Amino acid sequence: MSQRLFYCLLIVGAGLVLYLSWLPAPKMGLVWFIPSKVAVWADENRNDTIRTAVPLVGLGWLVGGWLALQHRPWRQWLLAGMALAGLVVVAEVGQLFLANRSFDLDDIGWGIVGGVVGLGTIAALRVAYLAVNALKG
Protein backbone atom coordinates (compact mmCIF):
# COMPACT_ATOMS: atom_id res chain seq x y z
CA MET A 1 0.00 0.00 0.00
CA SER A 2 1.41 3.36 -0.95
CA GLN A 3 1.78 6.12 1.59
CA ARG A 4 -0.60 8.33 -0.40
CA LEU A 5 -3.32 5.65 -0.37
CA PHE A 6 -2.86 5.07 3.36
CA TYR A 7 -3.26 8.76 4.18
CA CYS A 8 -6.24 9.03 1.85
CA LEU A 9 -7.97 6.10 3.57
CA LEU A 10 -7.05 7.50 6.98
CA ILE A 11 -8.57 10.90 6.14
CA VAL A 12 -11.71 9.27 4.75
CA GLY A 13 -12.03 7.06 7.85
CA ALA A 14 -11.51 9.90 10.32
CA GLY A 15 -13.82 12.12 8.29
CA LEU A 16 -16.47 9.41 8.35
CA VAL A 17 -16.24 9.16 12.15
CA LEU A 18 -16.63 12.94 12.49
CA TYR A 19 -19.40 13.14 9.87
CA LEU A 20 -21.49 10.42 11.51
CA SER A 21 -20.88 11.89 14.96
CA TRP A 22 -21.91 15.37 13.88
CA LEU A 23 -25.04 14.54 11.93
CA PRO A 24 -27.93 16.70 13.20
CA ALA A 25 -30.02 13.57 13.91
CA PRO A 26 -28.27 10.43 15.20
CA LYS A 27 -30.35 8.08 13.03
CA MET A 28 -28.15 5.95 10.80
CA GLY A 29 -31.21 4.96 8.78
CA LEU A 30 -31.15 8.47 7.33
CA VAL A 31 -27.60 8.08 5.98
CA TRP A 32 -27.81 7.04 2.33
CA PHE A 33 -24.56 5.03 2.18
CA ILE A 34 -25.14 2.86 5.25
CA PRO A 35 -26.70 -0.51 4.35
CA SER A 36 -30.22 -0.84 5.74
CA LYS A 37 -29.45 -3.88 7.91
CA VAL A 38 -26.50 -2.08 9.49
CA ALA A 39 -28.63 1.05 10.01
CA VAL A 40 -31.39 -0.94 11.71
CA TRP A 41 -28.83 -2.52 14.07
CA ALA A 42 -27.14 0.84 14.75
CA ASP A 43 -30.43 2.61 15.47
CA GLU A 44 -31.58 0.13 18.10
CA ASN A 45 -31.45 1.74 21.56
CA ARG A 46 -29.33 -1.08 22.98
CA ASN A 47 -26.63 -0.44 20.34
CA ASP A 48 -26.64 3.35 20.69
CA THR A 49 -23.17 3.60 22.24
CA ILE A 50 -21.47 0.39 21.05
CA ARG A 51 -21.99 1.46 17.43
CA THR A 52 -19.29 4.06 18.02
CA ALA A 53 -16.72 1.24 18.19
CA VAL A 54 -17.44 -0.08 14.70
CA PRO A 55 -15.64 2.51 12.54
CA LEU A 56 -12.82 2.72 15.10
CA VAL A 57 -12.15 -1.01 14.72
CA GLY A 58 -11.72 -0.41 10.99
CA LEU A 59 -9.43 2.56 11.58
CA GLY A 60 -7.45 0.48 14.07
CA TRP A 61 -6.98 -2.23 11.43
CA LEU A 62 -5.90 0.35 8.88
CA VAL A 63 -3.43 2.12 11.17
CA GLY A 64 -2.16 -1.14 12.66
CA GLY A 65 -1.64 -2.64 9.22
CA TRP A 66 0.35 0.39 8.17
CA LEU A 67 2.45 0.31 11.34
CA ALA A 68 3.12 -3.40 10.88
CA LEU A 69 4.08 -3.03 7.23
CA GLN A 70 6.40 -0.16 8.12
CA HIS A 71 7.98 -2.17 11.00
CA ARG A 72 7.26 0.69 13.39
CA PRO A 73 8.28 0.39 17.06
CA TRP A 74 5.65 -0.32 19.72
CA ARG A 75 5.89 3.28 20.96
CA GLN A 76 4.29 4.39 17.70
CA TRP A 77 1.51 1.86 18.19
CA LEU A 78 0.78 3.45 21.56
CA LEU A 79 0.75 6.90 19.97
CA ALA A 80 -1.61 5.62 17.27
CA GLY A 81 -3.97 4.33 19.96
CA MET A 82 -3.86 7.70 21.66
CA ALA A 83 -4.60 9.44 18.35
CA LEU A 84 -7.63 7.20 17.76
CA ALA A 85 -8.84 7.97 21.29
CA GLY A 86 -8.34 11.67 20.58
CA LEU A 87 -10.46 11.37 17.45
CA VAL A 88 -13.32 9.91 19.48
CA VAL A 89 -13.04 12.69 22.06
CA VAL A 90 -13.12 15.36 19.33
CA ALA A 91 -16.18 13.69 17.80
CA GLU A 92 -18.01 13.66 21.13
CA VAL A 93 -17.03 17.20 22.12
CA GLY A 94 -18.38 18.39 18.77
CA GLN A 95 -21.77 17.03 19.77
CA LEU A 96 -21.95 19.62 22.55
CA PHE A 97 -22.62 22.20 19.83
CA LEU A 98 -25.44 20.28 18.13
CA ALA A 99 -29.02 20.69 19.33
CA ASN A 100 -30.16 17.08 18.83
CA ARG A 101 -26.92 15.37 19.89
CA SER A 102 -25.47 14.81 23.33
CA PHE A 103 -22.01 14.28 24.77
CA ASP A 104 -21.69 10.72 26.12
CA LEU A 105 -18.74 9.24 28.00
CA ASP A 106 -19.97 5.75 27.04
CA ASP A 107 -19.47 6.65 23.36
CA ILE A 108 -15.90 7.69 24.15
CA GLY A 109 -15.31 4.44 26.01
CA TRP A 110 -16.71 2.29 23.20
CA GLY A 111 -14.78 4.25 20.59
CA ILE A 112 -11.55 3.65 22.49
CA VAL A 113 -12.41 -0.04 22.82
CA GLY A 114 -12.96 -0.19 19.06
CA GLY A 115 -9.60 1.43 18.32
CA VAL A 116 -7.82 -0.88 20.77
CA VAL A 117 -9.52 -3.96 19.30
CA GLY A 118 -8.50 -2.91 15.78
CA LEU A 119 -4.90 -2.13 16.70
CA GLY A 120 -4.73 -5.14 19.02
CA THR A 121 -5.88 -7.53 16.31
CA ILE A 122 -3.12 -6.42 13.96
CA ALA A 123 -0.55 -6.33 16.77
CA ALA A 124 -1.40 -9.93 17.69
CA LEU A 125 -1.10 -11.00 14.06
CA ARG A 126 2.26 -9.22 13.85
CA VAL A 127 3.57 -10.94 16.99
CA ALA A 128 2.38 -14.33 15.70
CA TYR A 129 4.03 -13.70 12.32
CA LEU A 130 7.31 -12.70 13.96
CA ALA A 131 7.19 -15.74 16.27
CA VAL A 132 6.61 -18.14 13.38
CA ASN A 133 9.46 -16.58 11.42
CA ALA A 134 11.73 -16.81 14.45
CA LEU A 135 10.95 -20.53 14.80
CA LYS A 136 11.77 -21.09 11.15
CA GLY A 137 15.20 -19.77 11.91
Side-chain angles (χ1 to χ4, degrees), residues 8 11 14 18 31-32 39 41-42 49 53 68-69 85-87 95 114 116 133 137:
C8 212
I11 289 168
L18 295 175
V31 180
W32 64 270
W41 175 85
T49 54
L69 289 171
L87 174 64
Q95 290 182 7
V116 168
N133 279 347

Side-chain angles (χ1 to χ4, degrees), residues 4-5 13 15 17 24 27 29 40 43 47 57 64-65 70 72 75 82 86 94 101 106 115-116:
R4 182 174 288 173
L5 177 60
V17 168
K27 298 293 179 199
V40 167
D43 286 339
N47 299 327
V57 171
Q70 297 295 311
R72 300 295 181 167
R75 176 179 50 83
M82 292 169 58
R101 301 301 298 260
D106 287 344
V116 168

Side-chain angles (χ1 to χ4, degrees), residues 11-34:
I11 289 168
V12 167
L16 183 64
V17 168
L18 295 175
Y19 172 75
L20 293 174
S21 295
W22 295 344
L23 285 171
K27 298 293 179 199
M28 296 299 107
L30 301 175
V31 180
W32 64 270
F33 59 84
I34 294 182

Side-chain angles (χ1 to χ4, degrees), residues 42-66:
D43 286 339
E44 289 179 13
N45 282 338
R46 65 186 174 133
N47 299 327
D48 188 40
T49 54
I50 194 172
R51 73 183 185 184
T52 306
V54 175
L56 272 296
V57 171
L59 276 175
W61 287 338
L62 174 68
V63 172
W66 180 255

Side-chain angles (χ1 to χ4, degrees), residues 95-107:
Q95 290 182 7
L96 290 170
F97 304 99
L98 299 169
N100 295 326
R101 301 301 298 260
S102 60
F103 179 88
D104 189 348
L105 288 175
D106 287 344
D107 280 347

